[in-house]
């Protein structure tokens, strides 16, 4: 066992110890009477079963579990089950005021910033679906799962939604952090950045293994994962040339986040060394996007919750990117993806869904380049699908959106690809989408524990 690996294991053990200390003062876990709504008026993970009053949001009927005829089994390339649908209407900068109540501040700002941008609104499909064990565990969590006094962790968490009936902003964001992605998978993805002048370039083209999500694996002993790593991820860059051969892995989302944040290791081919990279968190610029977003902007928010307070505003109906198969699984030349320096609006499918609204403000004494953020969390996936980001002067500087597609062959929502618009510079990015010529997302078996030793990054055993 290497010294680096021993160090990460010592951190995990310390996390368990400190978790036990914090567990004496915990919150969460609703009453049996309140939990009785789950599986009736609420889905087992906490979404409203009923549609809205005018029918524009339909009732939940089980999600999308059958692949379209165009899907090739085992390909890792999911075709669009709604390819024949046409937009119901289009929102532009000229008519945006008419729909302002159902648009995020970021969507409104994007329509204003880019006069040629528009939002095509399609019929709403509630496609999220989950395996049976996740549904049962979510109901169990409602009365069992708790969070420590500081609101940044989990106590007695089973393999389901932690807080299906959330009472505060922390619990909503904890649900996002622990949203269901499936136990283990491998992807080939691409990230591109577009400049305000219309030019664009690829910044990352990695093969990524997401492995060992113990809280989402029903076969794992619950005692084994208390205080341990939520997920392990390893990546290898094959393009562009400047990143080819570079690799890394992260041991992420330690279950009780008040103890430690994520742990990252990097393999730098020029040095032929594996190095611990403790700075890979919070507002450190992320090199995958050429520094156009921070590490905790991955998937709109990830890693540690330590620097913010989280205020639950409530729920609302919002137009958000949804069932975005054409964009997440992109087919065609890259010049079709970008139009005048931003993502081609014809590729983005928007639907009306209910979201939880959580406002983040920087804790006293903490620092971050974004002291205020507003997140919109989809009730059917617990994923943040829209974010408004503000600077220290109160100016909105970014509009961010995450793309949701249902992996109908895996019974799992897939929230991995996301878009960001910098409202000051005009730079936009599209992260971790899959291109037809080489992209995929496939399920896989867990790698053995020894494979995750950091020094193994120097080998070529990724694939």
């Amino acid at each position: 066992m290497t010294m680096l690996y021993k160090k990460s294991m010592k951190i995990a053990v310390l996390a368990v110890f400190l978790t036990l200390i914090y567990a004496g003062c915990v919150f969460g876990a609703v009453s049996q009477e309140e939990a009785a709504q789950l599986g009736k008026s609420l889905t087992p993970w906490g979404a409203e079963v009923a549609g809205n009053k005018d029918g524009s949001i339909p009732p939940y009927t089980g999600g999308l579990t059958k692949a379209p005829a165009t899907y090739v089994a085992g390909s890792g390339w999911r075709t669009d089950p709604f390819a024949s649908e046409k937009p119901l209407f289009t929102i532009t900068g000229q008519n945006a005021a008419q729909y302002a109540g159902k648009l995020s501040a970021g969507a409104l700002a994007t329509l204003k910033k880019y006069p040629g941008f528009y939002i095509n609104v399609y019929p709403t499909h509630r496609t999220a679906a989950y395996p049976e064990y996740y549904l049962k565990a979510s109901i169990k969590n409602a009365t069992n799962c708790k969070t420590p006094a500081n609101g940044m962790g989990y106590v007695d968490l089973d393999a389901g939604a932690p807080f299906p009936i959330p009472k505060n902003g922390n619990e909503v964001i904890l649900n996002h952090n622990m949203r269901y992605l499936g136990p283990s998978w491998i992807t080939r993805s691409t990230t591109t950045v577009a400049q305000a002048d219309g030019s664009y370039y690829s910044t990352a083209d990695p093969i990524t293994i997401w492995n060992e999500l113990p809280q989402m694996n029903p076969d794992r002993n619950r005692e084994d994962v208390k205080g341990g790593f939520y997920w392990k991820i390893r990546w290898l860059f094959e393009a562009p040339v400047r990143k080819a051969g570079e690799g890394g892995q992260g041991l992420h989302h330690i279950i009780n986040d008040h103890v430690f944040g994520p742990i990252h290791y990097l393999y730098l081919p020029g040095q032929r060394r594996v190095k611990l990279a403790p700075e890979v968190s919070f507002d450190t610029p992320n090199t995958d996007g050429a520094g156009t977003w921070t590490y905790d902007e991955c998937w709109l928010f990830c890693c540690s919750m330590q620097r913010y307070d989280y205020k639950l505003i409530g729920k609302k109906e919002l137009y958000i990117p949804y069932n975005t198969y054409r964009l997440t699984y992109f087919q065609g030349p890259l010049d079709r993806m970008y139009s005048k320096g931003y993502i081609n609006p014809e590729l983005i499918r928007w639907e009306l869904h209910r979201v939880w609204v959580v406002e983040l403000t920087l804790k006293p004494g903490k620092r971050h380049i974004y002291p205020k953020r507003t997140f919109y969390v989809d009730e059917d996936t617990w994923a943040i699908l829209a974010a408004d980001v503000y600077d220290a002067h109160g100016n909105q500087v970014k509009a961010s959106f995450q793309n949701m597609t249902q992996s109908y062959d895996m019974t799992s929502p897939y929230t991995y690809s996301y878009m960001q618009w910098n409202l000051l510079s005009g730079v936009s990015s599209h992260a971790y989408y899959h291109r037809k010529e080489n992209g995929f997302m496939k399920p896989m078996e867990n790698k053995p524990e020894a494979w995750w030793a950091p020094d193994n990054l120097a080998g070529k055993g990724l694939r």
Side-chain angles (χ1 to χ4, degrees), residues 22 25 73 83 94 121 128 165 168 205 207 243 265 336 427 433 454:
Y22 273 90
C25 185
Q94 288 68 46
V121 177
I165 305 178
N168 54 57
D205 195 0
I207 290 177
K243 291 181 72 69
Y265 301 97
R336 180 171 173 260
V427 173
Y433 62 93

Side-chain angles (χ1 to χ4, degrees), residues 74-78 184-187 409-410 440-444:
S75 66
W77 181 267
R78 288 159 192 84
S184 190
W185 36 270
I186 181 171
T187 74
D409 56 315
M410 294 172 59
F440 58 83
M441 192 283 279
K442 301 177 182 180
M444 63 170 290

Side-chain angles (χ1 to χ4, degrees), residues 316-330:
K316 67 178 298 183
E317 296 177 5
L318 199 73
Y319 295 118
I320 49 178
Y322 219 92
N323 294 311
T324 55
Y325 292 90
R326 280 180 294 176
L327 190 61
T328 301
Y329 298 94
F330 175 70

Side-chain angles (χ1 to χ4, degrees), residues 197-257:
D197 62 6
S199 62
Y200 54 84
Y201 56 96
S202 174
T203 59
D205 195 0
I207 290 177
T208 306
I209 286 180
W210 290 67
N211 195 217
E212 191 61 20
L213 284 80
Q215 291 294 346
M216 293 304 153
N217 185 343
D219 298 326
R220 283 294 299 270
N221 186 318
R222 296 296 97 195
E223 294 301 318
D224 290 346
V225 297
K226 284 182 179 178
F229 302 117
Y230 166 37
W231 48 258
K232 301 176 184 178
I233 179 174
R234 182 178 287 191
W235 61 91
L236 173 68
F237 291 99
E238 297 190 333
V241 173
R242 64 181 176 81
K243 291 181 72 69
E246 182 180 317
Q249 75 177 31
L251 308 176
H252 270 241
H253 286 314
I254 293 177
I255 297 304
N256 280 291
D257 169 86

Side-chain angles (χ1 to χ4, degrees), residues 419-437:
M419 308 169 283
Q420 298 191 5
W421 279 266
N422 188 311
L423 300 170
L424 300 182
S425 68
V427 173
S428 65
S429 60
H430 185 198
Y432 309 132
Y433 62 93
H434 309 294
R435 296 179 64 184
K436 181 63 174 178
E437 57 265 36

Side-chain angles (χ1 to χ4, degrees), residues 18-34:
L18 293 179
T19 294
L20 295 176
I21 295 176
Y22 273 90
C25 185
V26 294
F27 298 92
V30 301
S31 67
Q32 291 285 353
E33 290 75 19
E34 197 167 4

Side-chain angles (χ1 to χ4, degrees), residues 39 119 411:
I119 290 173
T411 320

